Amino acid sequence: MEKVSEILSELKAQNRSVLTEFESKELLAEIGLPVPKQILVGEKDGEEAILHACQTIGYPVVLKLIAEDVVHKSDVGAVKLNIQGEDAAKKAISELFAIECTGEKKVSVQEMADEPITEIIIGTLQDPQFGPTIMFGIGGILVEVMKDVSFRIAPITDFDSEEMVHEIKGFTLLDGFRGKPKADLEAIKRALILIADLAYEHQEIAEMDLNPVFVYKSGIKVVDARIILKK
Ligand code: ADP
Ligand code: MG
C-alpha cells in the first residue's frame, strides 16, 4: 500500500478531496482490483491525441468526460459507450466537449468491458460510531429502491465477506439466475476484503463508491469509482 500512501499524500498536498473517476480507478488498480484499461487525455492535447489513445486501447472503446464538477456522468451525457471506430469517436469527442462544466476538461478513453452477468456495488463510509464500514449490493434498483445491501465494520474476515455476499436478497442473481452462469463469488469476496482493508488502513478516505462493478463467471471489473477524502 506504499504507492497508495504516496497518491493520497500527494492529493492532500494539493488540498484536493475528491478523486476523479480516473484517479479512483488508478488507486484501486494499485491494491489489485481489476479495472478496464484507461488513458487520460486533456482537451488541450487535441482530438488527435484522443484518437491515438482510442487506437492504443483498441476499439470498441468507452469515452467519458472527466471534469471536476461532473459527478453523475450519464445524467449529462458524459459517458459514450461502445464506440466502434474513428468516425464515432470524433462525434463522441465533440459531444463530450460541448458539455458545460467548469475547470479543465479531460477525456478518459477506456476499454469497453464485456457484458457482465450482473452489476454489483461496493462502497465504504466512515460511520461516526463504528469507523470505516463496508457496503455491498446488487447494482441498479435493488440498491437504489429496495435498499438490498449488507454492511460490515472494516476490516473484514473471509467469513464476513462470505456472509455479506450471501445475505442480500439479490443473491439469486449471482447464483445462476435464469440459466446465466454463476458469478465468481471468490473474486467478489476478495474485492470486499481489499476495499475494507483500504478503508481501514487509510482512514483519511471518507467514502468510496464502486458503482458499478461488473461481475463475470471468472473475475470482476470495476468500471466506475469515486473516492472522497476527509476534508
Ligand atoms: P455515472 O457517473 O453516470 O455513474 P458510469 O461511469 O458508471 O457513469 O457509466 C455509466 C454506465 O455505463 C455504467 O453503469 C456501466 O453500465 C456502463 N459503463 C461505464 N464504463 C464502462 C466500460 N468501461 N465498459 C463497459 N460499460 C461501461
Ligand atoms: Mg456509475
Side-chain angles (χ1 to χ4, degrees):
M1 290 227 184
E2 212 170 303
K3 185 75 199 287
V4 172
S5 306
E6 240 170 69
I7 298 173
L8 293 176
S9 36
E10 175 62 26
L11 286 158
K12 222 175 293 169
Q14 295 173 11
N15 216 0
R16 289 191 41 217
S17 57
V18 180
L19 281 71
T20 64
E21 183 209 285
F22 186 89
E23 292 169 327
S24 302
K25 281 155 62 179
E26 291 289 300
L27 194 146
L28 295 175
E30 279 301 327
I31 64 162
L33 290 178
V35 306
K37 278 184 264 168
Q38 54 175 8
I39 298 176
L40 191 65
V41 187
E43 184 175 22
K44 52 182 185 304
D45 297 325
E47 188 191 68
E48 270 312 307
I50 301 171
L51 293 174
H52 185 258
C54 293
Q55 286 287 352
T56 307
I57 297 287
Y59 292 102
V61 297
V62 176
L63 298 179
K64 299 186 191 177
L65 183 70
I66 304 291
E68 199 107 333
D69 59 344
V70 174
V71 177
H72 300 290
K73 298 178 295 293
S74 341
D75 291 358
V76 295
V79 179
K80 304 287 187 187
L81 297 173
N82 203 17
I83 303 288
Q84 296 282 349
E86 202 161 289
D87 287 342
K90 284 180 182 167
K91 182 165 175 279
I93 293 164
S94 67
E95 286 170 5
L96 288 179
F97 286 142
I99 295 169
E100 265 184 59
C101 60
T102 56
E104 198 192 351
K105 290 177 182 175
K106 291 180 181 169
V107 172
S108 170
V109 181
Q110 306 178 4
E111 167 193 351
M112 174 78 193
D114 292 337
E115 177 100 18
I117 295 173
T118 188
E119 297 185 358
I120 59 168
I121 294 176
I122 300 175
T124 70
L125 54 89
Q126 289 281 346
D127 183 89
Q129 209 170 350
F130 300 111
T133 303
I134 179 155
M135 186 271 281
F136 167 73
I138 304 285
I141 55 167
L142 281 174
V143 165
E144 282 157 35
V145 183
M146 311 302 281
K147 309 284 178 231
D148 181 25
V149 290
S150 52
F151 282 98
R152 289 292 182 285
I153 299 164
I156 60 171
T157 63
D158 187 62
F159 181 74
D160 293 327
S161 70
E162 173 87 10
E163 280 190 338
M164 282 187 83
V165 170
H166 281 82
E167 75 189 29
I168 57 165
K169 296 188 197 75
F171 175 73
T172 323
L173 296 169
L174 301 171
D175 198 34
F177 183 64
R178 289 209 174 142
K180 286 192 186 177
K182 284 180 197 266
D184 188 343
L185 299 184
E186 288 308 312
I188 298 173
K189 286 165 55 183
R190 211 177 309 128
L192 288 170
I193 292 169
L194 285 170
I195 291 292
D197 283 347
L198 179 62
Y200 183 72
E201 284 165 29
H202 290 279
Q203 302 210 6
E204 64 267 46
I205 297 176
E207 51 180 279
M208 289 187 261
D209 188 22
L210 285 58
N211 181 7
V213 177
F214 281 8
V215 176
Y216 301 102
K217 180 167 83 196
S218 172
I220 61 169
K221 218 159 235 189
V222 181
V223 307
D224 184 25
R226 196 160 113 94
I227 297 176
I228 300 176
L229 309 181
K230 288 180 186 161
K231 278 252 158 64

